[in-house]
Amino acid sequence: MDENKKILWLITIVLLATSCNISNHNESAIDENVLDENATQFEILYEEDLEGQLKRLVQEKTEQPVFAFYDYIGSKEEDSYAYIFTGEMVEEFGDTMFQGALWYANGEDSILLMDEIETSTFEPIIIEENNHLLLNVGSDLPGSAKSYIWAVNDHKPQLVFEASGSCFIDNGLLASVKSFISNSAGGRIWQRYYLYWDHNKQSYQYYDVKEITEEEFLSYENAQTARDEVEIAIKEDIKQSLHRADLNVGSHFDYNYFKCGNGIIYVNYIITTDSDTLYYYSILMERNGTVVLDERQHYDLYEKGYMYQRDEYDW
C-alpha cells in the first residue's frame, strides 16, 4: 500500500470513529432530556393526584363543594396533609358571608374540624413558623369575633388555641385583639396581646404583662421623647375630630404603662377636659434599654381606646 492510500485509510477511520461518538453523545443527551421531562411530569402528576385524593376524601363525606385548599407537602407522602374548606359565599341581609365547614385530610382519611362556620371575613392564615392554621370568624357586630388555631401532631389535627377576639400576624408575631365597651372605665377597652408557641406544652401562651411605674418607663432612653411625639399626634387628632375638645383650659394628661414579655410597652393616655374624658393608647417597643415607637402594628401610632392588662377582665 503506497503512502497516499495509507493516509486516506487513516482519515476514513478517524471520521467513522468521530461520527459514532457524536451519535452516541446525542442519543445519551436525548435520553437524559426524556428522563428529566418524565420526572417533571411525574412530579406534576403526583401533586395533582395528591390534591385530588385529599379533596375526594372530604367530598365522600359532604355534599358541599370545595371552597379553599391549604396543603402541606411533607418529605414523605404519609406526612402530607391539607386543610380544606367546603361551602360557599352567600348574600345575607345585604352582606356577603362565607358559610361552610373546615376539614383535615391526609392520605388515609378526612376529619371534620369545624361545622356551621359563618363569617363575614374569610381570610385563613397559615402560620409559617409551624404550619398551623389560623381562622377568625365573626360578623360586623362588635364583640362577635372569635379565633381558632389548629396544629397537626403525629398525623392528628388538634385545636391548640381558641379565644374571643381576633388574631393576626404582626411582622412574624402572633397578636390578639379584643375590644368592648366598659361603663366602669368610661369608654372602649382595647385588649391587645402577643402570643408564642410553647413547644413543651404544645399550645399557645400569652406573654406576661405587668404594669410598670412612670419612673420605670422614663428610665428607658428616649421614653420621654417617644411619649411626647404620640401626645402631639393625639392633640392634633382631637383638634380635627368632631368633638373638638378644648385642650387649653382645664385639661390634663394622665398615663399608665404596661410592659409585655416580648419588649412591647403599652402607654395609656387619659385626657381630662372640662367637658369630657378621652382615652388613647400607643404601642412602643423597648430595645436594649431604648424606647422607640412601634410602627409594626395594624393600627396607627395611637388609637382611640384604652388598654388594660388582661388579668383585669375575663376573656
Side-chain angles (χ1 to χ4, degrees):
M1 182 181 296
D2 59 26
E3 192 65 27
N4 290 333
K5 289 182 177 179
K6 287 182 178 180
I7 292 172
L8 289 172
W9 183 74
L10 289 171
I11 291 173
T12 302
I13 292 174
V14 170
L15 289 173
L16 287 171
T18 303
S19 176
C20 290
N21 287 335
I22 292 173
S23 177
N24 290 335
H25 176 74
N26 288 340
E27 289 179 3
S28 176
I30 291 171
D31 290 343
E32 290 177 0
N33 289 336
V34 170
L35 287 173
D36 290 343
E37 184 178 349
N38 288 340
T40 302
Q41 290 177 349
F42 175 78
E43 291 174 0
I44 294 173
L45 288 172
Y46 170 78
E47 291 180 1
E48 289 177 347
D49 287 345
L50 179 62
E51 179 176 338
Q53 179 186 6
L54 297 178
K55 288 180 178 178
R56 283 194 298 273
L57 287 170
V58 168
Q59 296 202 288
E60 287 174 357
K61 297 182 178 180
T62 180
E63 295 181 356
Q64 294 180 341
V66 171
F67 183 80
F69 181 89
Y70 298 86
D71 64 346
Y72 169 75
I73 306 299
S75 56
K76 295 182 289 186
E77 184 176 356
E78 56 266 29
D79 295 328
S80 301
Y81 59 86
Y83 294 105
I84 301 174
F85 288 89
T86 59
E88 58 186 345
M89 301 298 292
V90 299
E91 292 289 335
E92 190 172 272
F93 305 112
D95 296 324
T96 303
M97 304 280 290
F98 169 76
Q99 292 181 348
L102 171 62
W103 301 77
Y104 163 84
N106 56 25
E108 297 179 354
D109 196 9
S110 62
I111 300 172
L112 179 63
L113 300 181
M114 189 174 182
D115 198 6
E116 298 182 355
I117 299 173
E118 186 170 276
T119 179
S120 58
T121 57
F122 182 80
E123 297 176 350
I125 296 172
I126 297 296
I127 303 175
E128 295 182 357
E129 178 186 0
N130 38 35
N131 294 302
H132 294 173
L133 177 74
L134 165 62
L135 176 66
N136 291 309
V137 299
S139 68
D140 295 332
L141 296 175
S144 67
K146 292 186 177 180
S147 54
Y148 305 87
I149 301 178
W150 284 271
V152 175
N153 294 315
D154 296 328
H155 308 287
K156 296 179 181 179
Q158 296 178 345
L159 181 63
V160 292
F161 180 78
E162 178 180 355
S164 58
S166 59
C167 290
F168 55 92
I169 302 300
D170 177 9
N171 197 34
L173 297 174
L174 180 63
S176 175
V177 172
K178 180 183 178 182
S179 68
F180 55 92
I181 298 296
S182 171
N183 293 327
S184 60
R188 178 171 291 278
I189 303 300
W190 296 87
Q191 293 178 321
R192 177 190 176 101
Y193 291 90
Y194 291 90
L195 301 97
Y196 64 94
W197 175 249
D198 189 315
H199 289 279
N200 294 325
K201 296 181 179 179
Q202 288 293 293
S203 64
Y204 282 93
Q205 303 292 319
Y206 287 98
Y207 282 101
D208 290 335
V209 178
K210 66 175 183 178
E211 186 169 8
I212 61 175
T213 65
E214 182 163 0
E215 183 180 5
E216 288 176 292
F217 173 75
L218 294 177
S219 69
Y220 295 116
E221 186 178 349
N222 197 51
Q224 180 76 59
T225 301
R227 192 185 73 179
D228 290 348
E229 185 175 336
V230 174
E231 200 168 296
I232 291 171
I234 289 175
K235 289 178 179 178
E236 186 62 30
D237 178 76
I238 292 173
K239 289 178 183 178
Q240 296 180 8
S241 69
L242 295 176
H243 298 293
R244 299 199 174 189
D246 188 356
L247 297 178
N248 297 318
V249 180
S251 64
H252 64 275
F253 276 70
D254 292 309
Y255 318 91
N256 51 39
Y257 313 88
F258 298 95
K259 185 173 181 181
C260 185
N262 61 353
I264 286 176
I265 298 176
Y266 306 109
V267 180
N268 286 328
Y269 301 78
I270 306 97
I271 306 99
T272 303
T273 71
D274 286 341
S275 59
D276 204 355
T277 302
L278 306 175
Y279 301 88
Y280 286 77
Y281 72 84
S282 65
I283 299 175
L284 298 89
M285 172 66 77
E286 183 269 318
R287 297 190 183 101
N288 300 319
T290 299
V291 168
V292 296
L293 284 172
D294 180 15
E295 298 178 354
R296 297 175 301 114
Q297 71 273 7
H298 296 291
Y299 298 103
D300 293 330
L301 299 180
Y302 55 90
E303 177 81 16
K304 292 187 177 99
Y306 197 59
M307 180 68 67
Y308 270 91
Q309 63 184 117
R310 178 166 49 89
D311 293 343
E312 293 188 17
Y313 290 91
D314 183 13
W315 282 72

